[in-house]
Amino acid sequence: MIRARITGTGSYLPEKVLTNFDIEKFLDTSDEWIRTRTGISERRIAADDENTSDLATKASERALEMAGVRPEELDLIVMGTITGDYPWPATACVVQVNLGAVNSGAYDVSAACSGFIYALSAAADRIQAGNAKKILVIGAEILTRICDWKDRNTCILFGDGAGAVVLEAVEGENGVLSTHLHADGSQLELLYQPGFSTKIVLSVEAIERKEQYLKMEGNEVFKVAVRSMTEAGKEALAANNMTSADVSLFVPHQANLRILEAVAKRLKLMDERTYINVDRFGNTSGATIPIALDEANRAGRIKEGDILLFDAFGGGFTWASALVRW
Ligand code: ACO
């Protein structure tokens, strides 16, 4: 059987660190409040001359190098992002030219914090169907540019970064075992960016209403996120006749520590198998899972045959999970 195996991981975090203490200086908040409510101590901020495609390109170069795959060997680039360089075309096209992936197709997936798993799912299915041999899957965001830095309810949560994996067609049992995608658009206004596109077009009035910024009802999002990620995690295990005892590494979307811990507890993964880096990078939306995966991989925490569970929830609402045999 042909499977899509992860043969390389890479990540890139911008250099600039913004700590909670830095935020205290311009916003009515405190390090103590942010840490106890979210588990976040600091996050990275892209430089003024860095675009989402730049972050994605650097993460991708590292993943390709680890896999030993040349850019021109890629059949496809799929990128999860909600903060691309342009409304269109896809930022994956910018990455494609940056890398010199001259034989590759390229498109973006808009599924917010679930974007990486959605992208992974599309790529793995294409490989398993025999339509591609090597695919680059990316999650990359510059969320700090769509945050209102005067809104303490939202801006403290988010950060910038990128992660990437190389998927290759292999014979055997190692690779993506299953992916599970869900959505419920009925509550999209609990977490979204209203402008600017065709519904709320760019105008002085719309800017004055701050329609360009991410909006979120934190309490509601919290509850639905915990419930949905728990269900998606269980679904991936059940689909493969496994239990949490089979999982070597749980890589959840790093939304905030309280969500992660609530989900890990419900999945019986509340121990060293749950990977956490939200304290250092905040919520980088579609980039959190591939960044965490790359850190764990480079730290030697993953060995051949390990079962990895990915699990995410985000705007849309969307939620998704994936089970991988390394
Ligand atoms: N600093 C100080 N006080 C604050 C801050 C802040 N940064 N933000 C809000 N407060 C205040 C509020 O104004 C409120 O004050 P009030 O009682 O005088 O009105 C008080 O703190 C409590 O506010 P709540 O919103 O009830 O605080 P809560 O404990 O729910 O924490 C939070 C808010 C952290 C946003 C929480 O709801 C949460 O984690 N939600 C999940 C949202 C999330 O993770 N979104 C990420 C995107 S979706 C995803 O990735 C899954």
Side-chain angles (χ1 to χ4, degrees):
M1 166 165 197
I2 296 176
R3 287 207 188 272
R5 187 169 190 184
I6 297 174
T7 57
T9 62
S11 59
Y12 173 77
L13 280 306
E15 261 173 47
K16 185 179 169 189
V17 176
L18 186 75
T19 68
N20 295 344
F21 295 106
D22 297 327
I23 298 179
E24 276 181 3
K25 291 179 193 146
F26 61 86
L27 206 59
D28 180 16
T29 187
S30 66
D31 171 63
E32 206 263 333
W33 194 97
I34 300 172
R35 269 191 301 101
T36 51
R37 304 292 174 117
T38 73
I40 298 166
S41 295
E42 58 187 49
R43 69 286 293 142
R44 300 297 179 93
I45 310 285
D48 289 346
D49 62 353
E50 271 181 325
N51 298 314
T52 301
S53 59
D54 298 316
L55 275 50
T57 301
K58 286 181 176 145
S60 300
E61 284 168 347
R62 292 170 185 176
L64 287 166
E65 190 187 352
M66 185 188 285
V69 169
R70 285 175 287 112
E72 56 272 27
E73 292 178 72
L74 290 173
D75 299 307
L76 183 64
I77 299 171
V78 191
M79 173 154 162
T81 188
I82 48 166
T83 51
D85 293 8
Y86 310 100
W88 63 272
T91 301
C93 294
V94 184
V95 177
Q96 185 258 346
V97 76
N98 286 352
L99 293 173
V102 289
N103 299 308
S104 177
Y107 65 90
D108 289 354
V109 171
S110 176
C113 304
S114 312
F116 175 76
I117 299 181
Y118 266 65
L120 182 79
S121 174
D125 286 352
R126 195 159 176 83
I127 284 178
Q128 276 173 228
N131 291 322
K133 291 216 157 37
K134 295 178 200 291
I135 303 184
L136 180 66
V137 182
I138 310 168
E141 307 281 7
I142 300 187
L143 285 163
T144 62
R145 284 191 198 151
I146 62 163
C147 287
D148 178 357
W149 284 95
K150 293 194 167 96
D151 176 13
R152 66 179 186 173
N153 292 296
T154 54
C155 71
I156 50 122
L157 290 167
F158 298 102
D160 305 332
V165 303
V166 176
L167 282 185
E168 292 190 67
V170 294
E171 291 278 345
E173 291 305 310
N174 301 71
V176 177
L177 300 179
S178 68
T179 56
H180 308 270
L181 310 183
H182 298 279
D184 175 7
S186 68
Q187 303 184 85
L188 76 85
E189 290 186 4
L190 295 179
L191 179 59
Y192 78 132
Q193 184 186 4
F196 296 110
S197 192
T198 50
K199 180 161 182 178
I200 299 177
V201 296
L202 178 61
S203 69
V204 173
E205 295 76 26
I207 290 173
E208 282 167 359
R209 291 197 307 272
K210 298 188 166 193
E211 306 277 18
Q212 68 273 37
Y213 294 129
L214 175 159
K215 314 273 187 236
M216 181 184 72
E217 296 294 334
N219 283 317
E220 283 309 306
V221 170
F222 192 103
K223 283 182 264 177
V224 191
V226 171
R227 194 172 63 234
S228 306
M229 285 177 70
T230 302
E231 281 169 11
K234 286 183 179 169
E235 183 183 15
L237 292 172
N240 293 282
N241 295 315
M242 292 191 196
T243 69
S244 53
D246 296 300
V247 175
S248 306
L249 188 69
F250 177 41
V251 188
H253 165 51
Q254 310 281 312
N256 74 50
L257 189 61
R258 287 193 302 158
I259 291 180
L260 296 190
E261 289 183 343
V263 174
K265 201 170 148 202
R266 285 163 175 76
L267 291 176
K268 300 191 173 62
L269 287 163
M270 186 69 177
D271 50 43
E272 69 292 338
R273 291 175 296 165
T274 295
Y275 196 86
I276 293 172
N277 64 9
V278 69
D279 50 322
R280 288 176 287 129
F281 303 136
N283 180 345
T284 57
S285 188
T288 67
I289 291 177
I291 291 171
L293 178 66
D294 183 47
E295 277 198 327
N297 192 21
R298 286 176 194 265
R301 281 185 62 174
I302 316 174
K303 57 183 192 311
E304 182 159 351
D306 277 357
I307 297 295
L308 275 62
L309 175 63
F310 305 155
D311 197 356
F313 175 87
F317 290 138
T318 57
W319 60 104
S321 60
L323 205 70
V324 172
R325 182 179 285 114
W326 200 256

